[in-house]
Structures are given as structure tokens and as C-alpha cells.
Amino acid sequence: MNGPKPPKFAEQLLYLFCSAAQVEEVQGDLQERFQKCASRWGMRRAKLRYVLEVLGFARFVFIKSQKTTLYPTPNYSVGMLSNYLRISWRSLLKSKGFAFINIVGLAVGMTAAALIFLWIQNELQFDRQYSRTDRIYQIYNRDVFNSEKTVWSTSPSPLAPVLKASYPDIELATRYAPLTLLLSVGDVNSNVKGALADPDFVNIFDIFPLSATKNPPLAEAGKIVISKRLAMNFFGTENAVGKRIQIDNRDNFLVAAVMDNLPANSQFQDIDYLLPWEYMIKPGSAGADWTSNNFSTFVLLRRGAQEAAVNQKIRKVTAHHLKGKVDNVAHREIFLHSAHKWHLYSKIENGEVVGGGIVAVRLFAVVAVFILMIACVNFVNLSTARGEMRAREVGIRKVAGAAQGSLVMRFMGEAVLLALIAGLFAAAAIWSLTPTFNELIGSHLQPDFGSPVFWASGIAFVLFTGFLAGSYPAIVLSSFQPARVLKGSYSRGPVAVPARKGLVVIQFTFAIVLIISTLVIRNQIDHAEQRDNGFNKEHLLYAALPGNLEKHYALLRDELLASGAVVSTTRSLGPAMSLNTRQWGVKFPGSVETDKNVEFDLFGADRDFVKTTGVELVAGRDIDLSQYSTDSTAIVLNETAVKAMRLKTPIGSIVHFQNTDWHIVGVVKDFIYESPYSPVKPAIITGPGGLLAHQWVNLRLNPANPLDKSLTVLESVFKKIDPRYPFSYSFVDDIYEARFAREKQIGILTSTFTGLAIFISCMGIFGLATFSAQQRIKEIGVRKVLGASVPSIVALLIGDFVRLVAMAFLIAAPIGWYIMDQWLGDFEYRVKIGPGVFVFAICSTLFIVVATVVMQATRAALMNPVRSLANE
């Protein structure tokens, strides 16, 4: 109410003396008298008279029902609810534009939120589907290298048996090592991903065989456990127990069990077979001692065992067994890492696992809420904007005896009906869009439409959305006072318009935060992609050397070069431009005791490493065993390794590790072989004279030849040397691109849902612009009569929304900066959040809003003032 206001305590007394229905009848008249009295005799006399008039209603306190409340609860029946439904449906049919905007906005909002929640559910359930997940842990290592605490997830082979035998708190323990082997059944053969594991593996991870022999899986040599998928591929049936599979064309295995396919949201999803641990890791062999950290160790704690207590007991197990074998183990320790954290907690800070993917999960949970809130804000704004059109309806219903509680339920019914209709469209959209969404983000989401829990959750979600969107408009619309409304003195009042503007500001605050987030994520990905990787990834591929290929590598190399499909090759410890292994305890000229803790990444080469990979040689020469027989113990360092060794003249210096003296023959520019978001680490490229075999070949294809022709030639050469093995290869550029997968997934999610949020916001703005133009039609007519031009009127109508967007930007800018600064904190190599992000965010938002509003504003400005003022 504008103007002077009566005393608040007197209004409270009026509510005390009268019933709710009586208050609505008399309060408007009392306030109208108060206004006239104040203007005629002054505020003091007006307030006194108002209090006396209120006290005159004290007699009604004796007849006021003690059970009457401000919102009396009607006696609902099936017939009444059915009547509400029919009236709500008719109301929607009368306002098709309003209904369309709200249904589409709510449907898009619910679809987006539901897809995000499906993705979040998948992320949170990753590796959590096991019956005893709360007691499953992986053993992690912690030590100090390069004066920093380092954590890694692999451990020595003997660790699992020792933990199980020596510590009663550990019920089960297993070793695990993924590998790819050639599996053959008759003439059918294929390179298949599998794993070595102990018998406890199947018990820890609930791998219940669909069919099996009597003895426990993995307990016997010569027995293999295969997946249902592999059984169908090789035998055409799931009943494959007792059938034989040949491994690497030499070892025959009997199928001891067939297991179900491992779920997609598990780190073991690609595993199609399990082999006994001792098949390849023989006790006492190289790689099976305490100095080799190449395997994963999983344990199951007994019920009641506490993680902290077990950590304290097992902390120094590895250090104890390494005494006398490794120089400094004072800081070496192991600890338990819970299965609940395997997927989403991978960030290491000061030797602790503190975060990782969980940041993105939390971010998108907020995004889902934002989008749903934007859709609900649309509903609230449009419903309250239509208040004047429905004020007389409310007044008549109240005069006819409708209680405020029944009106609240009436309008809530409309909101819930709209939400249910939108929910049906949302369910159809989710069903049809899930495959596209999966393809877009590279995931395997699948709503369980056959589950009662799914539908119960969906209905609860829709009802929640309906109540969230409809509660405020229902209360506002039902609170109209019939005395004022029916006399034609109703106005929106001082609260409704600012509240609506405040909701628009909140709506666009959400949208602008999402725009800022999208821009920063995109800039971060571009920043990493444009980083100089230090090598040429084009036309570079690698392949393993199984069977006779390693033995006859010289022949293979000559055949490949003679074919013209390849311009250079180099044999290595592992795939080119990917981390092969690590080494510490390195001695070099001028090294001190603490330098033994400096960690170096190892690569291997026999010749032409520089030519094949395209790295830049900055000093010395490449390793070339064909020209220099002593190059079996030659090494090439990257620039970071030279700095770590503090070598002023590295060429010719002697470096000692792996019980071998290595001589430095060259230095190459730093190249990226791990995350493009991390700094390059010290790296050593060794000749073939070390302890580790060079079982991979890296090939630089001839760019002058068609790719498919070159691959056909390569396959024929590999088959010629050893026809038993299929030619299997990978391109380095594909592997490099995969390192951006997680960030690109987040970028796609953010940009997709930002677009949807903007779309929903624009629909709401379009609706508000339409109602605003209708409400101001007489004002516009008067302005045109007084000489206002069409552009000035359009600018006037647009200006209101521009000011709201500007206010939203002032709120959103610091929020967006803070959120993205926290996200960027996970990256060592990161982009700076510059002013360009905020300039683009505000300009793009203003452009979208103006483009949305300008059509309605122009239509209103062009209307003939004679028509708009005809009834005045």
C-alpha cells in the first residue's frame, strides 16, 4: 500500500478480534478511511481514529471460532479435487501462451536436471556396486621424492600375501595386474583385455560365476575365468565351462568359470578374463620382489576393523622389507584408500588424496539446481504477472465463500498439473535423448524405466517441482482482498513488482555464472591443447612386439623401411610419448644423498628416437646402436633432467642406476608424455642395455602415402614375420587426445546446460515482456500522443530488462570467478581468468535478452494509440 500506513499493532488486534473472512471484509475499508483521514486531519488523528475503530470490533472476539485459522483447511473430497482438476485444465486452455511457456520451460528444466542427476548418480556409484564396498580398500604408497611427498597406487607383488597372513584385521587380499593377451579358439583369435589376480579377487568384488567347476576360480593353474561376452564371442554360448582357450599360441587353458560382464561404472569394465597370478608373475622372478611397484593390491577389512587403526599397523610393512635393498626408506609408508574414493578422489596435495572428480560432481549438482530454479522462477514470474487478470476471479470466489486455504490449493493444483504435463514431456525427452547424451559425453547412462523406484523418484521429483514453482504464486494470488478487487482499486502494490524483478535478477545470475564457467573451461582446454607438446604426433603409431616379432625385430624393421610405408622406427620400453616406467636412486656427477630421492621417468630406444618421435635435439646426438656399439648403455636426457642433475656440460657424463653406468650422448627439448595440464618431469631415454626389455615398436608413417594403404602394408609385414598374431596398433594422436577427455566432457556438459538455462530464461523474459507490454499499453499510447518516437518507446521497454541483467552480472561475476578459480586449482598448468571472459558474458547476455524482448517491445510501440486509449 502506497502512502501513510496505519499502526501495525492495531492491524494485529484486528486479526485477533475477527476471523480471517471478517478481516478481509473490513480491513480494506478501514485502510481507505485511514488514508482520507490522514490527508484531511493529519497522521496523529488518523492513527487514533484507526485504533478506536479497530477496538470497536472487540465484540467479535466472543463469536470468533477458536478453531479458525488464517488458512482454514477445507474438507476435501474426491469430487472437490476432481472439480479443481477440471477448472485448472480449463484455465490452462484459456491461457494457451502462458501454459505453453511454462510447460516448455519446466519440461526443459526437468529434462536437464534429470540428465545431470543421472550423470551424477553414475559418477557416485562408480566402483560402489559391491556388497561390501564400505570395507574394500586399495593399498597406496607414500614417499618423499624431489623434496615433495608423493603418492602412487601401485605396490609390490609380495605385499598382498603378507598383509593377509600377518594382519587379522585384513580378511581378504588380492593382487591385480591388467594385461592384453592373444586368445585363440580354433581359427578365431583376438587380442583381449584381461587381468592376473589371486583367488580372493572374485570374493572381494562379488564376481559370482554364472557357471563354474567345483573348485574355486583362480585357485588352479591352467584354469581361466572368462566373461559372458567373451564366451559368446568365442563359443556362441554362455555355457563355456570345460572348453579350452589357447593363450599366446602356446598355453592351453581350461575355462573354469563364466562370469557376468563387469559393469560399465567399474574400473574393471574392460576385463574379459581372469588368470591365476602365478601364470606370468612367478615367485622369485624379476618384478616379483619388494622393489618393483608395478601391481595393484586390494584388501577387504573384517567387520569392525577401523581404517585409521589398520593404517597405523601396516604403515611400515613395505619399508621393513625394503631395508638393505633401497638406500632410503625412512619416509616410505603404505595406507588404505577407500573404494568410495577411487573414482572421484585422485588429486594429491602434500601426500594426501584430497579431491579430483568430486569437484565436477558438486559443480554439476549446483548446475542442476540452478536450471530447475530458473524454470521455477519463470513460472513464479509469469503467474504473478498475470495476477491482475485473475484478481477479480479471486474476489468473486471469496465473496461466494471460498476460504483462502481452498484457493491456495486451487492455484497449487494448477501448478502441479502443469508440472505433471511437463514431467510427461520430460520423461519422453529423457528416453529419446539419453543415447545422444551418452554419445556426447562418452558415457553409458541408462535410466531404468522398468524400475518402480525410478518412477516413484520421478513422480516425487515432478511434484516437488510443481510445489516449488507454485507455492509462492498460490499464496500471492489467494491473498487478494475482495473488497478492494471488486471495487476496481486493486493494484500490484509495492512488493509484487520488485519481487518479480528480484527473481529475474536471480535467474540471470545463474545463467551468467554458467556462461562464465563455460568460457573458462573452454579456455583451459584450449590453453592445454595449444601448449607445445615437444613432439610430432601426426602419422606416429605404436605396436607391441609379441611372439617372434621381438626376436626378429631387425628383420621387421628392414621390411618396414623397404616397404615405403614407414620412414623411421624405434624400439622402446613402452608406447611412444606415454610414461613407460620410473626410476629413483640415480647417481650422477656431483649428486648427494638427497638426490637419490629424485624421481626420473624412463623411456627406451635403440635408434632414431628423435627422427621417429619428432622431439627436438638441443645438444649431442641421438642413440644409434647401428652406428655406435656402446650405445646399448647410452642415454638421452630431457632439459628438465639436466636441470635436476645440475649438469653444466651433460654430454659424456656418467649416470649410474640399475647397476649400470650409462653415458649421456644427447639432450632433447622437454616433451609432454603425461597430463598436458602438468609440468614436465625429469626424463631419461635409455639404450637397450638395461634390465627392462624393449617390447614395443614406434613407427613414423610415410605422409606421402594414403593412410589405409600404409596400414595394409604394415599388417602384411607383421603377419609375414609372425602370422600367429593379429596386427594391433594405436595412434599417438588418439592417445594424446584422450588426455583431454575428462575436461572436454565437463566442457560439453557445461556448454550444453548453459544453453538450456539461457533458453529457459529467454522464454521467461519473452513472457514477461509480453505481459509488461500489455500492462503498459495505455502509458505507451499517452507517450505516443505526446510525441514519443517508436525507438524511444522500444528503448524504454527494453531498458527495464537491461538494468536487471546488469544487476545480475554484478552479482554473478564474483561468484563465477570464485567457482572457476577453485576448479582451476586442480591444474598446475592453468589459464588465467581475464577480463575478456566477463566482457563476453555480459555482452552475450545483453544481446540475447535484447533480441528476445525487442520483438514484443516493437509490436507494442507500433500499436495505434487511438486503439489503446479508446476506453479512456
Side-chain angles (χ1 to χ4, degrees):
M1 182 180 66
N2 295 318
K5 297 181 180 180
K8 287 186 178 181
F9 79 92
E11 291 190 314
Q12 292 171 352
L13 285 175
L14 189 64
Y15 278 99
L16 179 64
F17 296 154
C18 304
S19 66
Q22 291 168 333
V23 169
E24 291 176 354
E25 290 179 3
V26 302
Q27 189 178 39
D29 292 336
L30 289 177
Q31 289 180 351
E32 190 173 341
R33 291 184 190 178
F34 174 80
Q35 297 278 357
K36 292 180 179 179
C37 186
S39 61
R40 182 177 299 178
W41 296 311
M43 283 294 296
R44 180 178 298 179
R45 186 171 176 179
K47 288 183 178 180
L48 177 62
R49 182 170 179 175
Y50 186 87
V51 171
L52 293 174
E53 287 180 340
V54 168
L55 291 175
F57 287 94
R59 64 187 184 277
F60 287 112
V61 75
F62 300 106
I63 59 174
K64 177 182 177 183
S65 171
Q66 296 302 310
K67 295 183 179 180
T68 301
T69 62
L70 184 59
Y71 298 99
T73 303
N75 182 21
Y76 295 110
S77 64
V78 174
M80 182 178 292
L81 293 175
S82 175
N83 181 56
Y84 282 168
L85 184 62
R86 285 198 305 272
I87 294 173
S88 297
W89 179 252
R90 291 171 185 169
S91 176
L92 295 182
L93 292 179
K94 288 180 181 178
S95 306
K96 293 184 179 66
F98 160 80
F100 175 79
I101 291 175
N102 274 327
I103 289 172
V104 172
L106 288 174
V108 173
M110 285 192 280
T111 301
L115 288 174
I116 292 175
F117 286 137
L118 280 174
W119 178 79
I120 290 174
Q121 180 188 41
N122 183 71
E123 292 292 299
L124 292 177
Q125 290 181 347
F126 210 95
D127 276 327
R128 296 191 185 187
Q129 64 271 31
Y130 317 115
S131 62
R132 297 174 290 188
T133 301
D134 58 326
R135 294 193 284 137
I136 298 176
Y137 295 84
Q138 185 174 357
I139 302 296
Y140 272 34
N141 276 279
R142 184 188 290 118
D143 206 339
V144 176
F145 297 107
N146 306 337
S147 300
E148 294 182 358
K149 286 186 177 180
T150 302
V151 170
W152 67 98
S153 61
T154 53
S155 50
S157 176
L159 179 60
V162 168
L163 291 176
K164 184 178 179 182
S166 305
Y167 296 90
D169 286 334
I170 295 177
E171 182 178 339
L172 300 174
T174 181
R175 296 163 289 191
Y176 173 82
L179 74 173
T180 300
L181 296 174
L182 179 69
L183 271 58
S184 305
V185 175
D187 295 332
V188 180
N189 58 57
S190 177
N191 287 315
V192 184
K193 293 180 180 180
L196 303 174
D198 289 311
D200 281 350
F201 182 85
V202 298
N203 297 319
I204 292 175
F205 295 106
D206 301 332
I207 299 176
F208 302 115
L210 301 175
S211 58
T213 57
K214 293 182 179 180
N215 294 325
L218 304 178
E220 298 178 271
K223 300 291 180 68
I224 185 174
V225 177
I226 67 173
S227 68
K228 180 170 65 175
R229 177 172 53 235
L230 190 62
M232 293 298 297
N233 290 343
F234 275 149
F235 305 109
T237 177
E238 297 177 16
N239 187 18
V241 174
K243 299 183 182 296
R244 293 192 174 276
I245 293 179
Q246 190 176 64
I247 295 179
D248 275 348
N249 291 305
R250 66 176 188 270
D251 300 320
N252 291 309
F253 275 75
L254 189 72
V255 177
V258 177
M259 61 183 178
D260 203 353
N261 299 327
L262 298 176
N265 60 341
S266 164
Q267 64 174 304
F268 312 116
Q269 58 183 295
D270 295 329
I271 300 304
D272 273 322
Y273 61 88
L274 296 170
L275 291 168
W277 184 258
E278 287 75 16
Y279 170 58
M280 296 189 72
I281 313 297
K282 309 293 183 185
S285 63
D289 62 4
W290 286 93
T291 61
S292 178
N293 287 270
N294 294 322
F295 313 110
S296 299
T297 300
F298 300 102
V299 299
L300 178 72
L301 299 189
R302 294 192 184 277
R303 292 188 183 278
Q306 298 298 315
E307 178 182 341
V310 176
N311 271 334
Q312 191 60 32
K313 293 175 184 178
I314 68 173
R315 191 166 60 92
K316 287 296 182 179
V317 171
T318 303
H320 173 74
H321 286 88
L322 286 175
K323 286 182 179 177
K325 299 177 182 178
V326 176
D327 291 335
N328 186 1
V329 292
H331 301 289
R332 178 69 61 88
E333 59 186 36
I334 61 174
F335 64 95
L336 300 171
H337 185 51
S338 172
H340 289 287
K341 297 182 177 182
W342 290 348
H343 181 60
L344 295 176
Y345 291 83
S346 57
K347 181 184 177 183
I348 310 298
E349 282 186 2
N350 195 29
E352 299 293 335
V353 185
V354 295
I358 190 64
V359 175
V361 169
R362 291 168 181 162
L363 174 66
F364 282 103
V366 175
V367 170
V369 174
F370 277 8
I371 291 176
L372 197 61
M373 289 296 296
I374 288 173
C376 291
V377 165
N378 271 0
F379 186 94
V380 171
N381 278 339
L382 293 177
S383 297
T384 54
R386 294 174 69 241
E388 288 186 13
M389 300 172 62
R390 307 195 67 174
R392 192 171 298 275
E393 172 195 345
V394 173
I396 293 173
R397 288 183 179 278
K398 284 192 172 184
V399 169
Q404 187 164 0
S406 65
L407 290 173
V408 168
M409 292 303 298
R410 158 89 171 75
F411 292 119
M412 284 294 296
E414 282 190 21
V416 172
L417 178 61
L418 275 171
L420 288 172
I421 296 172
L424 292 176
F425 284 108
I430 292 167
W431 178 78
S432 60
L433 292 176
T434 298
T436 304
F437 186 64
N438 282 332
E439 186 177 345
L440 192 66
I441 66 172
S443 188
H444 305 280
L445 308 180
Q446 187 57 53
D448 188 2
F449 288 102
S451 169
V453 175
F454 173 83
W455 288 107
S457 302
I459 293 172
F461 176 65
V462 170
L463 292 176
F464 170 77
T465 304
F467 282 110
L468 183 67
S471 55
Y472 177 73
I475 294 172
V476 170
L477 295 177
S478 65
S479 64
F480 293 154
Q481 298 174 2
R484 299 176 61 195
V485 168
L486 297 179
K487 286 195 299 184
S489 60
Y490 166 76
S491 66
R492 287 169 287 173
V495 177
V497 174
R500 196 152 58 241
K501 289 182 177 180
L503 290 173
V504 172
V505 170
I506 293 173
Q507 189 178 48
F508 273 94
T509 297
F510 292 163
I512 294 171
V513 167
L514 289 176
I515 292 173
I516 292 171
S517 301
T518 300
L519 294 173
V520 172
I521 292 171
R522 182 66 261 172
N523 289 347
Q524 172 66 4
I525 295 172
D526 290 343
H527 185 58
E529 285 185 327
Q530 293 168 7
R531 182 183 181 186
D532 182 12
N533 57 37
F535 65 94
N536 181 8
K537 64 180 185 293
E538 303 300 326
H539 303 100
L540 180 61
L541 60 82
Y542 60 84
L545 296 172
N548 292 328
L549 292 171
E550 182 184 3
K551 186 187 303 181
H552 300 296
Y553 170 72
L555 176 61
L556 174 68
R557 181 179 183 279
D558 292 342
E559 292 272 359
L560 289 171
L561 292 174
S563 71
V566 171
V567 295
S568 64
T569 73
T570 186
R571 193 164 55 155
S572 62
L573 298 174
M577 305 301 108
S578 297
L579 176 61
N580 295 171
T581 186
R582 286 196 166 104
Q583 179 72 48
W584 55 83
V586 177
K587 298 178 181 178
F588 46 86
S591 63
V592 295
E593 187 65 25
T594 56
D595 288 325
K596 293 180 180 180
N597 293 325
V598 177
E599 193 175 46
F600 293 87
D601 296 336
L602 288 191
F603 297 83
D606 62 340
R607 57 186 291 185
D608 291 339
F609 179 85
V610 171
K611 182 179 180 181
T612 303
T613 60
V615 299
E616 182 181 341
L617 191 68
V618 296
R621 61 175 177 83
D622 196 359
I623 296 172
D624 191 347
L625 196 59
S626 65
Q627 296 291 326
Y628 306 93
S629 59
T630 57
D631 272 10
S632 60
T633 57
I635 58 174
V636 172
L637 307 181
N638 71 350
E639 293 173 313
T640 302
V642 173
K643 294 175 183 176
M645 295 182 183
R646 304 181 297 279
L647 300 176
K648 293 182 179 179
T649 54
I651 306 302
S653 299
I654 302 299
V655 177
H656 182 86
F657 58 92
Q658 293 182 357
N659 298 321
T660 303
D661 288 331
W662 305 82
H663 59 285
I664 301 173
V665 299
V667 177
V668 295
K669 187 179 178 180
D670 286 341
F671 56 93
I672 299 172
Y673 50 88
E674 287 192 295
S675 170
Y677 304 102
S678 301
V680 177
K681 296 178 181 178
I684 301 175
I685 304 154
T686 69
L691 299 175
L692 303 176
H694 289 48
Q695 297 178 325
W696 295 78
V697 61
N698 305 291
L699 309 169
R700 169 69 61 185
L701 299 182
N702 188 342
N705 296 340
L707 180 60
D708 56 347
K709 180 181 178 181
S710 295
L711 293 175
T712 301
V713 172
L714 262 61
E715 183 176 13
S716 64
V717 173
F718 273 73
K719 287 279 190 180
K720 179 180 178 181
I721 304 299
D722 195 334
R724 300 173 301 167
Y725 292 87
F727 175 54
S728 181
Y729 61 91
S730 297
F731 281 97
V732 170
D733 57 355
D734 291 337
I735 304 302
Y736 189 80
E737 185 68 19
R739 294 171 184 163
F740 298 91
R742 181 69 177 179
E743 287 69 33
K744 285 190 173 182
Q745 182 190 60
I746 294 173
I748 291 171
L749 284 169
T750 307
S751 57
T752 300
F753 293 117
T754 298
L756 292 177
I758 293 172
F759 172 76
I760 297 170
S761 300
C762 287
M763 289 197 69
I765 288 294
F766 180 83
L768 281 179
T770 302
F771 283 113
S772 176
Q774 290 176 355
Q775 291 168 348
R776 302 179 68 176
I777 197 68
K778 290 182 173 59
E779 176 194 342
I780 293 171
V782 171
R783 288 180 179 274
K784 292 191 72 175
V785 168
L786 295 176
S789 64
V790 170
S792 66
I793 294 174
V794 171
L796 174 70
L797 295 175
I798 292 176
D800 290 341
F801 295 100
V802 169
R803 283 189 288 272
L804 296 179
V805 171
M807 292 174 61
F809 174 76
L810 294 176
I811 300 170
I815 295 174
W817 177 87
Y818 176 79
I819 293 173
M820 284 296 97
D821 186 66
Q822 294 296 305
W823 181 75
L824 287 171
D826 288 340
F827 305 99
E828 295 180 76
Y829 186 80
R830 52 179 286 183
V831 71
K832 293 182 179 179
I833 305 177
V837 170
F838 302 99
V839 171
F840 183 87
I842 183 61
C843 290
S844 59
T845 306
L846 287 173
F847 174 80
I848 292 169
V849 169
V850 170
T852 303
V853 175
V854 69
M855 184 174 67
Q856 292 298 320
T858 304
R859 181 181 297 175
L862 291 175
M863 183 173 289
N864 190 336
V866 174
R867 292 178 58 190
S868 59
L869 299 175
N871 61 347
E872 291 298 315

